[in-house]
Amino acid sequence: MGLWKSNFEANIQYINPPLKQCESRICMGDALIVAAGPSIKNDESKKLELLRGFKGTIYATDGILPEMVKRNIRPDYVCSVDSDPIIADFYGKIGNTHALLAVTVHPDVREKMPWADIQWFMPEIDDINEEGSMTNRALEMGIPVLKAFGNVGACLYNIATWMHNHKRIGLVGFDYSYPSLDFNLTQYYHQLMEIAEGDEEKGKSLMLDVYNPITKKHIWTDPVYFAYRNAFLMMFKMKPKSTQRKTWNLTENGILFGGGLKWGKLEEWVGR
């Protein structure tokens, strides 16, 4: 909480304009929300190249931004929620892209973007009724407060569906899983090893084997990614039925299934 607060204080004088809903709610066509799962970051994956043929709006999480910039693919929006200064390393020369930034991101992230290209929001991180609540302070400043649901991908879906009225919304790179069980290469290896008190076999036993009935494959994930997946599905269930019906998971892998979420293929979307 300390880093969130110090980042918030450092960003306050720059928080303008705040994130806003499209007042007209006119349908803006199709949109893709691109996360940094292994199904899209893998060098053998051709999905990033497919984005070149997409004519709609592209939202990107900060983690996938370097791969997109490397291929000269410019998203319309990029989002950051994490308060760690290392997030600034994801940002480079991204051209005509709008940044959707949590007011709690590190100032180094803010400094990577032109002031006019930033729109701000407040993740709901504390109780607005508590004394000194940052969430309540943001509300008093006119900054919209949105649930982040634990990870930037889910947060960006929440923002995109709140900001704009898209005809269809496709999710790309939302694996929440690993392509293989290389335990020491998993995202939360060190945290799991701490829980396992340094016993690698015990740590490995904390990994989860999830069966995907759509791909008919067993997929490895960890407790953190599994919680992120469940948080996304919880948010999805909270969305209006009209939003649910127009949302498709185009990842073609991973554990984000169930709850009425439809699956499809990115190639078919881009080709239409």
Side-chain angles (χ1 to χ4, degrees):
M1 190 68 77
L3 186 55
W4 287 344
K5 187 172 183 178
S6 61
N7 289 349
F8 187 18
E9 295 296 338
N11 289 327
I12 279 179
Q13 61 180 310
Y14 301 95
I15 298 175
N16 184 35
L19 196 67
K20 291 184 178 180
Q21 281 184 297
C22 180
E23 294 180 2
S24 65
R25 303 299 289 166
I26 295 173
C27 182
M28 292 183 61
D30 290 344
L32 292 176
I33 302 176
V34 187
S39 62
I40 194 166
K41 288 187 75 173
N42 189 314
D43 288 338
E44 296 178 3
S45 172
K46 305 298 182 184
K47 288 190 175 182
L48 278 173
E49 295 299 329
L50 286 174
L51 298 183
R52 296 183 187 281
F54 185 66
K55 305 301 183 184
T57 303
I58 297 179
Y59 300 83
T61 63
D62 47 22
I64 197 62
L65 189 58
E67 294 298 323
M68 296 181 74
V69 171
K70 188 191 304 182
R71 294 167 173 79
N72 200 31
I73 300 170
R74 310 291 176 176
D76 299 284
Y77 297 93
V78 60
C79 181
S80 287
V81 180
D82 199 307
S83 58
D84 196 306
I86 198 173
I87 299 299
D89 294 343
F90 292 139
Y91 285 79
K93 296 179 180 180
I94 58 177
N96 188 25
T97 297
H98 297 283
L100 310 173
L101 301 184
V103 297
T104 50
V105 298
H106 196 273
D108 289 355
V109 177
R110 182 197 73 228
E111 291 171 1
K112 289 293 186 80
M113 290 294 298
W115 177 82
D117 291 337
I118 299 175
Q119 292 178 273
W120 298 92
F121 68 95
M122 179 70 187
E124 190 176 307
I125 58 176
D126 58 19
D127 187 342
I128 62 172
N129 297 312
E130 290 182 356
E131 185 177 352
S133 165
M134 286 184 283
T135 304
N136 187 54
R137 187 176 177 187
L139 283 171
E140 291 176 348
M141 294 173 63
I143 302 168
V145 174
L146 297 168
K147 290 184 181 295
F149 293 94
N151 64 101
V152 67
C155 180
L156 187 48
Y157 174 75
N158 197 27
I159 289 173
T161 53
W162 178 81
M163 280 180 66
H164 298 137
N165 178 26
H166 289 287
K167 181 180 179 182
R168 296 185 305 169
I169 303 161
L171 310 174
V172 184
F174 280 72
D175 298 66
Y176 294 127
S177 62
Y178 301 99
S180 62
L181 187 54
D182 294 322
F183 179 54
N184 62 321
L185 298 179
T186 57
Q187 181 75 20
Y188 299 98
Y189 169 77
H190 296 291
Q191 291 89 333
L192 293 178
M193 284 296 289
E194 186 175 341
I195 293 171
E197 300 177 331
D199 186 329
E200 186 148 327
E201 284 304 313
K202 186 177 178 181
K204 193 172 181 178
S205 71
L206 297 173
M207 297 292 288
L208 304 172
D209 179 359
V210 179
Y211 178 72
N212 184 325
I214 301 172
T215 63
K216 295 180 171 52
K217 294 179 180 179
H218 287 269
I219 301 167
W220 287 106
T221 189
D222 59 39
V224 179
Y225 276 165
F226 193 69
Y228 287 167
R229 173 257 195 188
N230 289 342
F232 188 102
L233 291 177
M234 179 182 69
M235 169 187 57
F236 181 72
K237 188 176 181 180
M238 294 166 57
K239 290 292 181 182
K241 292 294 184 183
S242 57
T243 300
Q244 294 180 28
R245 285 193 293 268
K246 62 185 179 183
T247 301
W248 295 74
N249 185 358
L250 309 179
T251 302
E252 300 177 54
N253 205 343
I255 62 171
L256 189 58
F257 58 84
L261 178 60
K262 299 188 292 283
W263 273 44
K265 293 183 180 296
L266 177 61
E267 187 172 8
E268 293 176 357
W269 264 52
V270 172
R272 290 182 181 179

